[in-house]
Amino acid sequence: MVRYVLIFLLLFSVSLNAQSISGQAFYESKTTVDLDEMGAGRREMTEEMKKMVSQMMKSALEKTYILTFTKDESIYKEEEKLDATPINPGFRMMMNSFTPGSQYKNLKTGQIVEENEFFGKQFLVTDSIKSLDWQMTKDTKQIGQYTVFKAIAMKKVDPTDFSMARPKRDRKGKDEKENAEVKKDSTNFDDPMDMIEIPEEIEVIAWFTPQIPVSNGPGEFGGLPGLIMELNVYRTTLLCSKVVINPKSAEKIEAPKKGKKVTREEYIKIVQEKTEELRENFQNRGGRRGGGF
């Protein structure tokens, strides 16, 4: 009961400014990767390999995003910056292929539009904003000057969202004899897609503040009575490091226009078909990657 009174008071204190509010929120992303788990059931990674992979993963996954918002609209983009970390071009292309580009949300129409690059081809994906069944908790804390409240929801995972991939649990149960044979035979290539699985559903934890009365947040997330300041999704945490309210100058909010227009369902089908093609090429060529579209 107390938490609802607090939320009501905070909402009431800022409701007069809600209609004209605009701003920018800066989010820092952190993703944890268990390299020992990644190597389960396969050839063991040396410490040098782990260090190299860790550096590449850090460069690919630790980013800054900017959410430019009004009460009804927003645009969410990765902040452009120079990165001197050496990364294998193939690894960079793979990571970029599974990371959405600019994302536009219109809370009035319930529409989301995002730019996606999949193996060198640009797509403009349109979809409806998915509502989550948020459950409020009693937990509160401070993020900077803002009081935030904790909410939890379960989210169905897009079957093509490889950022959610994890090693298949049953690979840990392979017997020692089979593992020894794999290590001994250097020509034996595991199909990468056989090594991973994508969960059907994950828990999402959001910390939001009614002090900024917009029902928005990073990426596709929102639907709470206040801006999401921290978001925990599987292995990734997005933490708001700075908020600028009613900035003098900010990026114009408009839907992206670059790429072939497809629905979410059409895009999922394209990714699934291309992934299956890559698997076949990998198997036929002994582990070498296939061509483009």
Side-chain angles (χ1 to χ4, degrees):
M1 181 65 184
V2 174
R3 66 180 182 275
Y4 296 115
V5 173
L6 287 172
I7 292 175
F8 173 78
L9 291 174
L10 285 168
L11 283 171
F12 181 77
S13 68
V14 295
S15 60
L16 294 177
N17 296 322
Q19 296 299 323
S20 60
I21 192 171
S22 65
Q24 286 187 304
F26 296 75
Y27 295 89
E28 306 289 339
S29 72
K30 299 286 184 182
T31 300
T32 58
V33 178
D34 188 337
L35 296 181
D36 291 327
E37 185 181 48
M38 288 176 64
R42 287 164 283 174
R43 301 172 182 83
E44 293 182 3
M45 297 176 69
T46 65
E47 290 304 314
E48 185 178 351
M49 288 174 63
K50 287 182 181 180
K51 183 177 180 181
M52 180 182 68
V53 172
S54 294
Q55 289 176 338
M56 289 195 300
M57 296 293 280
K58 181 177 181 180
S59 177
L61 299 174
E62 294 188 3
K63 300 179 179 181
T64 300
Y65 297 91
I66 303 174
L67 177 70
T68 304
F69 61 86
T70 62
K71 182 177 180 293
D72 296 318
E73 293 181 286
S74 67
I75 188 77
Y76 182 69
K77 289 185 176 183
E78 179 185 343
E79 183 181 43
E80 294 183 5
K81 59 183 178 181
L82 294 176
D83 188 354
T85 304
I87 295 182
N88 180 281
F91 179 83
R92 186 185 295 275
M93 184 177 75
M94 180 186 72
M95 294 302 298
N96 289 341
S97 293
F98 302 132
T99 304
S102 301
Q103 293 174 294
Y104 166 84
K105 281 185 292 190
N106 189 312
L107 303 183
K108 269 190 174 182
T109 63
Q111 184 186 49
I112 183 169
V113 182
E114 66 183 37
E115 290 179 331
N116 277 347
E117 179 183 343
F118 184 64
F119 280 90
K121 189 167 184 178
Q122 295 285 341
F123 294 93
L124 194 64
V125 183
T126 59
D127 196 6
S128 58
I129 298 174
K130 300 297 187 294
S131 299
L132 296 181
D133 183 18
W134 292 107
Q135 303 297 314
M136 302 296 180
T137 74
K138 298 179 180 180
D139 300 325
T140 66
K141 64 179 182 180
Q142 288 291 127
I143 296 181
Q145 69 190 69
Y146 299 99
T147 300
V148 295
F149 298 82
K150 184 180 180 181
I152 300 174
M154 298 303 295
K155 177 183 181 296
K156 290 184 178 180
V157 178
D158 182 334
T160 64
D161 187 353
F162 288 91
S163 68
M164 300 291 173
R166 64 190 181 194
K168 281 188 177 177
R169 300 176 189 274
D170 59 3
R171 291 193 65 83
K172 294 183 178 181
K174 292 177 73 176
D175 60 49
E176 295 180 2
K177 182 178 179 181
E178 184 178 353
N179 284 334
E181 289 176 354
V182 170
K183 291 178 182 179
K184 182 178 179 180
D185 183 5
S186 61
T187 64
N188 188 321
F189 290 95
D190 283 330
D191 182 343
M193 299 306 296
D194 282 340
M195 300 177 185
I196 61 173
E197 62 184 1
I198 298 175
E200 294 183 0
E201 192 176 50
I202 55 170
E203 182 182 71
V204 178
I205 298 174
W207 294 87
F208 68 96
T209 177
Q211 291 172 261
I212 304 177
V214 292
S215 186
N216 215 325
E220 64 188 279
F221 296 95
L224 287 163
L227 180 69
I228 296 175
M229 300 290 288
E230 181 179 331
L231 189 72
N232 306 115
V233 184
Y234 192 30
R235 298 168 304 199
T236 298
T237 296
L238 286 160
L239 179 62
C240 185
S241 59
K242 181 174 69 171
V243 178
V244 181
I245 299 298
N246 299 327
K248 293 181 180 179
S249 62
E251 180 179 358
K252 184 178 180 181
I253 299 176
E254 57 184 5
K257 300 179 175 63
K258 186 178 179 180
K260 179 182 178 181
K261 293 183 179 180
V262 293
T263 63
R264 178 72 64 189
E265 291 74 19
E266 290 171 335
Y267 182 70
I268 289 174
K269 184 178 179 181
I270 290 169
V271 173
Q272 289 175 330
E273 290 177 350
K274 182 60 180 176
T275 301
E276 187 57 37
E277 178 189 332
L278 290 171
R279 292 187 68 181
E280 292 177 1
N281 288 339
F282 187 93
Q283 292 166 351
N284 293 336
R285 302 182 188 190
R288 289 174 292 175
R289 187 164 51 86
F293 283 90

